[in-house]
């Protein structure tokens, strides 16, 4: 069981970053954020031309949301096909566990994106990078493999590069298309913000992408919630997934219910991350004066939520009156009330 004193908030953007040529990153796994046992996350920024080098993750799939700017990814499918995709604000990508990929900023400004991994024990810092691998491979074997003379490898980095800074990719050049399949594809890209949201007047909006809209994303789903001042995402729980949150804008309160009388109250500002374990009850309330924007990731391709209002509506008034000790008219009213995003008082 989760200890009652466990925190479900971590101030991600207040942490010292890892810096490299053209890149800045801040990450949180279960080591930094102990409650986040099922999902880890990273906030990364790439300058124009800045590259997160070619790498793969052995123990997690990667789901990402672009907050601002533009970037280009390369990815190799184990079936031998490959893809080069371009992403802008509001776009999502998904790289299955173990697939080799890279990310590069396109400019004209910095590109900021949030990476979410479906394993709390994941670490972006201890992933499998191409330079780490090649630098520690015996030079004669590497030269044989690449069919080059050993002296041609003199400029190979001596260890993991992690970030590398180069020219901004030119989408009009031949470099922008993979040799194996000369076409831009969007199999790895889903334009989440372009989606028509689920909208509640006075409450806000929700955009959700699951395996149904984005077939490659079999192990992860995500949501973008925009909640009006004073409104709340009502009390609910997710039967099939942990929930990881990145607070993009505004101020919020989340209360997590862990059974046996245990409830944890957390407050959030932009740049904080939050976590609600699978099956735990929780709500998010906008406590600020502007719209609250929260990016939410789930470690399941299917989105499931049980909302309190839907649960109440599904029960007859006599059950509610007995169970909750309510007068009959109040119990009847509960069976007619809409929910999901509840406007402020
Ligand atoms: Mn990655
Ligand atoms: Mn939730």
């Amino acid at each position: 069981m989760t200890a009652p004193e466990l925190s479900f908030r971590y101030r991600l953007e207040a942490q010292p970053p890892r810096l490299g040529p053209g890149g800045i990153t801040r990450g949180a796994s279960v080591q930094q954020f102990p409650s986040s046992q099922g999902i880890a996350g990273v906030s990364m920024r790439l300058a124009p031309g800045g590259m997160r080098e070619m790498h793969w993750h052995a123990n997690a799939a990667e789901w990402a949301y672009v907050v601002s700017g533009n970037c280009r990814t390369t990815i190799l499918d184990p079936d031998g096909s490959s893809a080069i995709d371009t992403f802008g604000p509001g776009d999502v990508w998904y790289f299955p566990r173990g697939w080799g990929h890279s990310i590069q900023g396109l400019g004209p400004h910095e590109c900021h994106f949030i990476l979410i991994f479906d394993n709390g024990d994941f670490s972006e810092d201890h992933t499998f990078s191409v330079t780490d691998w090649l630098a520690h491979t015996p030079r004669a074997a590497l030269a044989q493999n690449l069919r080059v003379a050993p002296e041609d490898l003199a400029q190979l980095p001596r260890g993991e590069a992690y970030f590398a800074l180069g020219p901004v990719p030119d989408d009009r050049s031949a470099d922008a298309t993979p040799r194996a399949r000369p076409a831009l594809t969007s199999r790895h890209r889903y334009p989440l913000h372009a989606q028509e949201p689920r909208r509640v007047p006075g409450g806000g909006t929700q955009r959700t992408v699951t395996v149904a809209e984005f077939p490659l994303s079999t192990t992860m789903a995500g949501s973008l919630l925009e909640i009006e001042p004073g409104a709340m995402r009502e009390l609910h729980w997710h039967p099939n997934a942990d929930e990881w949150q990145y607070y993009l804008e505004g101020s919020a309160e989340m209360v997590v219910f862990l059974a046996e009388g245990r409830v944890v109250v957390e407050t959030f500002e932009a740049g904080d991350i939050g976590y609600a374990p699978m099956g735990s009850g929780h709500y998010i309330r906008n406590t600020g004066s502007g719209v609250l924007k929260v990016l939410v990731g789930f470690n399941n391709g299917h989105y499931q939520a049980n909302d309190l209002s839907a649960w109440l509506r599904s029960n007859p008034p006599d059950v509610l009156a007995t169970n909750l000790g309510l007068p009959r008219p109040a119990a009847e009213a509960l069976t007619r009330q809409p929910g999901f995003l509840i406007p402020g008082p």
Side-chain angles (χ1 to χ4, degrees), residues 311-336:
W311 199 17
L312 297 175
R313 281 196 308 275
S314 71
N315 276 282
D318 62 320
V319 170
L320 299 180
T322 301
N323 198 156
L324 304 179
L326 292 171
R328 172 84 191 188
E332 284 175 0
L334 285 180
T335 66
R336 295 189 297 268

Side-chain angles (χ1 to χ4, degrees), residues 39-296:
I39 304 176
V42 168
S43 172
M44 190 175 289
R45 292 168 171 86
L46 293 174
M51 181 188 293
R52 174 69 183 96
E53 73 163 310
M54 295 159 65
H55 65 280
W56 74 93
H57 310 291
N59 69 349
E62 172 176 323
W63 188 101
Y65 178 82
V66 178
V67 178
S68 62
N70 301 283
C71 63
R72 200 180 79 174
T73 66
T74 67
I75 185 161
L76 173 65
D77 184 319
D79 74 4
S81 66
S82 60
I84 295 176
D85 290 302
T86 302
F87 295 82
D91 288 343
V92 165
W93 71 70
Y94 178 81
F95 299 150
R97 185 184 64 211
W99 292 25
H101 55 277
S102 74
I103 312 161
Q104 190 167 23
L106 291 177
H109 308 293
E110 176 184 85
C111 183
H112 178 209
F113 47 90
I114 306 300
L115 303 168
I116 307 177
F117 300 91
D118 59 356
N119 185 340
D121 202 24
F122 164 86
S123 171
E124 176 79 4
D125 296 337
H126 297 97
T127 200
F128 292 73
S129 293
V130 66
T131 50
D132 190 20
W133 193 14
L134 300 191
H136 296 101
T137 295
R139 198 46 63 96
L142 184 60
Q144 179 188 349
N145 197 145
L146 302 181
R147 299 171 188 257
V148 298
E151 53 269 27
D152 290 341
L153 299 172
Q155 300 303 314
L156 188 74
R158 292 170 180 276
E160 184 185 47
Y162 196 86
F163 287 126
L165 184 59
V168 173
D170 180 357
D171 277 344
R172 294 161 302 181
S173 81
D175 288 351
T177 50
R179 288 186 180 85
R181 183 176 293 178
L184 287 171
T185 114
S186 59
R187 188 176 166 226
H188 302 272
R189 181 175 70 90
Y190 181 81
L192 179 60
H193 201 267
Q195 181 187 88
E196 186 58 34
R198 178 179 180 184
R199 196 181 299 274
V200 176
T205 62
Q206 183 194 41
R207 292 171 170 86
T208 302
V209 55
T210 72
V211 67
E213 297 84 18
F214 191 23
L216 191 69
S217 179
T218 54
T219 69
M220 300 181 77
S223 274
L224 185 67
L225 271 172
E226 300 190 41
I227 303 176
E228 296 293 326
M232 65 189 288
R233 170 70 179 99
E234 73 161 308
L235 278 71
H236 68 281
W237 75 97
H238 305 287
N240 69 339
D242 299 304
E243 171 173 333
W244 187 98
Q245 305 153 347
Y246 181 92
Y247 288 80
L248 290 160
E249 288 177 32
S251 310
E253 169 188 87
M254 176 172 68
V255 176
V256 181
F257 167 58
L258 300 161
E260 299 175 331
R262 290 156 56 210
V263 157
V264 180
V265 180
E266 302 284 9
T267 57
F268 297 87
E269 302 295 334
D272 292 343
I273 61 177
Y275 194 78
M278 177 159 36
S280 66
H282 56 282
Y283 70 80
I284 300 172
R285 193 168 63 87
N286 184 347
T287 55
S289 54
V291 173
L292 173 70
K293 295 186 183 178
V294 192
L295 178 69
V296 181

